[in-house]
mmCIF file with all atom_site columns, all heavy atoms in Angstrom:
data_model
loop_
_atom_site.group_PDB
_atom_site.id
_atom_site.type_symbol
_atom_site.label_atom_id
_atom_site.label_alt_id
_atom_site.label_comp_id
_atom_site.label_asym_id
_atom_site.label_entity_id
_atom_site.label_seq_id
_atom_site.pdbx_PDB_ins_code
_atom_site.Cartn_x
_atom_site.Cartn_y
_atom_site.Cartn_z
_atom_site.occupancy
_atom_site.B_iso_or_equiv
_atom_site.pdbx_formal_charge
_atom_site.auth_seq_id
_atom_site.auth_comp_id
_atom_site.auth_asym_id
_atom_site.auth_atom_id
_atom_site.pdbx_PDB_model_num
ATOM 1  N N   . ALA A 1 30  ? -7.167  -109.368 21.128 1.00 98.00 ? 30  ALA A N   1
ATOM 2  C CA  . ALA A 1 30  ? -6.203  -110.304 20.513 1.00 98.00 ? 30  ALA A CA  1
ATOM 3  C C   . ALA A 1 30  ? -4.963  -110.406 21.403 1.00 98.00 ? 30  ALA A C   1
ATOM 4  O O   . ALA A 1 30  ? -4.509  -111.505 21.730 1.00 98.00 ? 30  ALA A O   1
ATOM 5  C CB  . ALA A 1 30  ? -5.839  -109.842 19.113 1.00 98.00 ? 30  ALA A CB  1
ATOM 6  N N   . GLU A 1 31  ? -4.452  -109.247 21.837 1.00 98.00 ? 31  GLU A N   1
ATOM 7  C CA  . GLU A 1 31  ? -3.244  -109.278 22.670 1.00 98.00 ? 31  GLU A CA  1
ATOM 8  C C   . GLU A 1 31  ? -3.544  -109.892 24.036 1.00 98.00 ? 31  GLU A C   1
ATOM 9  O O   . GLU A 1 31  ? -2.782  -110.696 24.557 1.00 98.00 ? 31  GLU A O   1
ATOM 10 C CB  . GLU A 1 31  ? -2.695  -107.850 22.873 1.00 98.00 ? 31  GLU A CB  1
ATOM 11 C CG  . GLU A 1 31  ? -2.144  -107.197 21.612 1.00 98.00 ? 31  GLU A CG  1
ATOM 12 C CD  . GLU A 1 31  ? -3.251  -106.728 20.659 1.00 98.00 ? 31  GLU A CD  1
ATOM 13 O OE1 . GLU A 1 31  ? -4.409  -106.616 21.128 1.00 98.00 ? 31  GLU A OE1 1
ATOM 14 O OE2 . GLU A 1 31  ? -2.966  -106.532 19.457 1.00 98.00 ? 31  GLU A OE2 1
ATOM 15 N N   . ALA A 1 135 ? 27.339  -155.704 3.657  1.00 95.00 ? 135 ALA A N   1
ATOM 16 C CA  . ALA A 1 135 ? 27.330  -154.478 2.837  1.00 95.00 ? 135 ALA A CA  1
ATOM 17 C C   . ALA A 1 135 ? 28.247  -153.460 3.521  1.00 95.00 ? 135 ALA A C   1
ATOM 18 O O   . ALA A 1 135 ? 28.634  -153.634 4.676  1.00 95.00 ? 135 ALA A O   1
ATOM 19 C CB  . ALA A 1 135 ? 25.906  -153.933 2.722  1.00 95.00 ? 135 ALA A CB  1
ATOM 20 N N   . SER A 1 149 ? 5.492   -146.643 20.953 1.00 97.00 ? 149 SER A N   1
ATOM 21 C CA  . SER A 1 149 ? 6.770   -147.168 20.440 1.00 97.00 ? 149 SER A CA  1
ATOM 22 C C   . SER A 1 149 ? 6.878   -147.008 18.934 1.00 97.00 ? 149 SER A C   1
ATOM 23 O O   . SER A 1 149 ? 7.783   -147.538 18.303 1.00 97.00 ? 149 SER A O   1
ATOM 24 C CB  . SER A 1 149 ? 6.907   -148.642 20.830 1.00 97.00 ? 149 SER A CB  1
ATOM 25 O OG  . SER A 1 149 ? 6.964   -148.727 22.251 1.00 97.00 ? 149 SER A OG  1
ATOM 26 N N   . TYR A 1 163 ? 16.138  -132.336 8.524  1.00 98.00 ? 163 TYR A N   1
ATOM 27 C CA  . TYR A 1 163 ? 17.336  -132.576 9.341  1.00 98.00 ? 163 TYR A CA  1
ATOM 28 C C   . TYR A 1 163 ? 17.792  -134.025 9.225  1.00 98.00 ? 163 TYR A C   1
ATOM 29 O O   . TYR A 1 163 ? 18.745  -134.440 9.886  1.00 98.00 ? 163 TYR A O   1
ATOM 30 C CB  . TYR A 1 163 ? 17.033  -132.247 10.809 1.00 98.00 ? 163 TYR A CB  1
ATOM 31 C CG  . TYR A 1 163 ? 16.559  -130.827 10.998 1.00 98.00 ? 163 TYR A CG  1
ATOM 32 C CD1 . TYR A 1 163 ? 15.202  -130.510 10.852 1.00 98.00 ? 163 TYR A CD1 1
ATOM 33 C CD2 . TYR A 1 163 ? 17.457  -129.793 11.233 1.00 98.00 ? 163 TYR A CD2 1
ATOM 34 C CE1 . TYR A 1 163 ? 14.761  -129.203 10.977 1.00 98.00 ? 163 TYR A CE1 1
ATOM 35 C CE2 . TYR A 1 163 ? 17.019  -128.487 11.359 1.00 98.00 ? 163 TYR A CE2 1
ATOM 36 C CZ  . TYR A 1 163 ? 15.673  -128.200 11.224 1.00 98.00 ? 163 TYR A CZ  1
ATOM 37 O OH  . TYR A 1 163 ? 15.226  -126.905 11.343 1.00 98.00 ? 163 TYR A OH  1
ATOM 38 N N   . HIS A 1 315 ? -14.907 -128.420 26.037 1.00 98.00 ? 315 HIS A N   1
ATOM 39 C CA  . HIS A 1 315 ? -15.490 -129.764 26.168 1.00 98.00 ? 315 HIS A CA  1
ATOM 40 C C   . HIS A 1 315 ? -16.347 -129.921 27.412 1.00 98.00 ? 315 HIS A C   1
ATOM 41 O O   . HIS A 1 315 ? -17.546 -130.143 27.329 1.00 98.00 ? 315 HIS A O   1
ATOM 42 C CB  . HIS A 1 315 ? -14.380 -130.826 26.150 1.00 98.00 ? 315 HIS A CB  1
ATOM 43 C CG  . HIS A 1 315 ? -14.919 -132.206 26.258 1.00 98.00 ? 315 HIS A CG  1
ATOM 44 N ND1 . HIS A 1 315 ? -15.620 -132.806 25.220 1.00 98.00 ? 315 HIS A ND1 1
ATOM 45 C CD2 . HIS A 1 315 ? -14.911 -133.100 27.272 1.00 98.00 ? 315 HIS A CD2 1
ATOM 46 C CE1 . HIS A 1 315 ? -16.015 -134.009 25.609 1.00 98.00 ? 315 HIS A CE1 1
ATOM 47 N NE2 . HIS A 1 315 ? -15.591 -134.212 26.841 1.00 98.00 ? 315 HIS A NE2 1
ATOM 48 N N   . PRO A 1 402 ? 12.602  -121.927 1.030  1.00 97.00 ? 402 PRO A N   1
ATOM 49 C CA  . PRO A 1 402 ? 12.536  -120.509 0.636  1.00 97.00 ? 402 PRO A CA  1
ATOM 50 C C   . PRO A 1 402 ? 12.273  -120.316 -0.865 1.00 97.00 ? 402 PRO A C   1
ATOM 51 O O   . PRO A 1 402 ? 11.677  -119.334 -1.283 1.00 97.00 ? 402 PRO A O   1
ATOM 52 C CB  . PRO A 1 402 ? 13.927  -119.951 1.015  1.00 97.00 ? 402 PRO A CB  1
ATOM 53 C CG  . PRO A 1 402 ? 14.797  -121.144 1.213  1.00 97.00 ? 402 PRO A CG  1
ATOM 54 C CD  . PRO A 1 402 ? 13.911  -122.274 1.622  1.00 97.00 ? 402 PRO A CD  1
ATOM 55 N N   . HIS A 1 407 ? 4.113   -121.125 -2.156 1.00 98.00 ? 407 HIS A N   1
ATOM 56 C CA  . HIS A 1 407 ? 3.367   -122.198 -1.474 1.00 98.00 ? 407 HIS A CA  1
ATOM 57 C C   . HIS A 1 407 ? 3.089   -121.822 -0.022 1.00 98.00 ? 407 HIS A C   1
ATOM 58 O O   . HIS A 1 407 ? 1.986   -121.990 0.488  1.00 98.00 ? 407 HIS A O   1
ATOM 59 C CB  . HIS A 1 407 ? 4.194   -123.500 -1.495 1.00 98.00 ? 407 HIS A CB  1
ATOM 60 C CG  . HIS A 1 407 ? 4.312   -124.123 -2.840 1.00 98.00 ? 407 HIS A CG  1
ATOM 61 N ND1 . HIS A 1 407 ? 3.621   -125.263 -3.192 1.00 98.00 ? 407 HIS A ND1 1
ATOM 62 C CD2 . HIS A 1 407 ? 5.033   -123.774 -3.930 1.00 98.00 ? 407 HIS A CD2 1
ATOM 63 C CE1 . HIS A 1 407 ? 3.918   -125.588 -4.443 1.00 98.00 ? 407 HIS A CE1 1
ATOM 64 N NE2 . HIS A 1 407 ? 4.780   -124.700 -4.909 1.00 98.00 ? 407 HIS A NE2 1
ATOM 65 N N   . VAL A 1 486 ? -2.640  -131.061 32.687 1.00 98.00 ? 486 VAL A N   1
ATOM 66 C CA  . VAL A 1 486 ? -3.473  -130.091 33.416 1.00 98.00 ? 486 VAL A CA  1
ATOM 67 C C   . VAL A 1 486 ? -4.941  -130.500 33.340 1.00 98.00 ? 486 VAL A C   1
ATOM 68 O O   . VAL A 1 486 ? -5.657  -130.500 34.352 1.00 98.00 ? 486 VAL A O   1
ATOM 69 C CB  . VAL A 1 486 ? -3.273  -128.678 32.849 1.00 98.00 ? 486 VAL A CB  1
ATOM 70 C CG1 . VAL A 1 486 ? -4.283  -127.696 33.436 1.00 98.00 ? 486 VAL A CG1 1
ATOM 71 C CG2 . VAL A 1 486 ? -1.842  -128.193 33.132 1.00 98.00 ? 486 VAL A CG2 1
ATOM 72 N N   . ARG A 1 522 ? -16.234 -170.917 22.773 1.00 79.00 ? 522 ARG A N   1
ATOM 73 C CA  . ARG A 1 522 ? -17.494 -170.697 23.479 1.00 79.00 ? 522 ARG A CA  1
ATOM 74 C C   . ARG A 1 522 ? -18.175 -169.417 23.018 1.00 79.00 ? 522 ARG A C   1
ATOM 75 O O   . ARG A 1 522 ? -19.182 -169.003 23.529 1.00 79.00 ? 522 ARG A O   1
ATOM 76 C CB  . ARG A 1 522 ? -17.231 -170.621 24.984 1.00 79.00 ? 522 ARG A CB  1
ATOM 77 C CG  . ARG A 1 522 ? -16.155 -169.587 25.347 1.00 79.00 ? 522 ARG A CG  1
ATOM 78 C CD  . ARG A 1 522 ? -15.844 -169.494 26.828 1.00 79.00 ? 522 ARG A CD  1
ATOM 79 N NE  . ARG A 1 522 ? -14.690 -168.629 27.046 1.00 79.00 ? 522 ARG A NE  1
ATOM 80 C CZ  . ARG A 1 522 ? -14.706 -167.314 26.818 1.00 79.00 ? 522 ARG A CZ  1
ATOM 81 N NH1 . ARG A 1 522 ? -15.788 -166.748 26.349 1.00 79.00 ? 522 ARG A NH1 1
ATOM 82 N NH2 . ARG A 1 522 ? -13.614 -166.574 27.049 1.00 79.00 ? 522 ARG A NH2 1
#
Side-chain angles (χ1 to χ4, degrees):
E31 293 75 17
S149 296
Y163 303 86
H315 181 71
H407 290 254
V486 171
R522 53 181 172 68

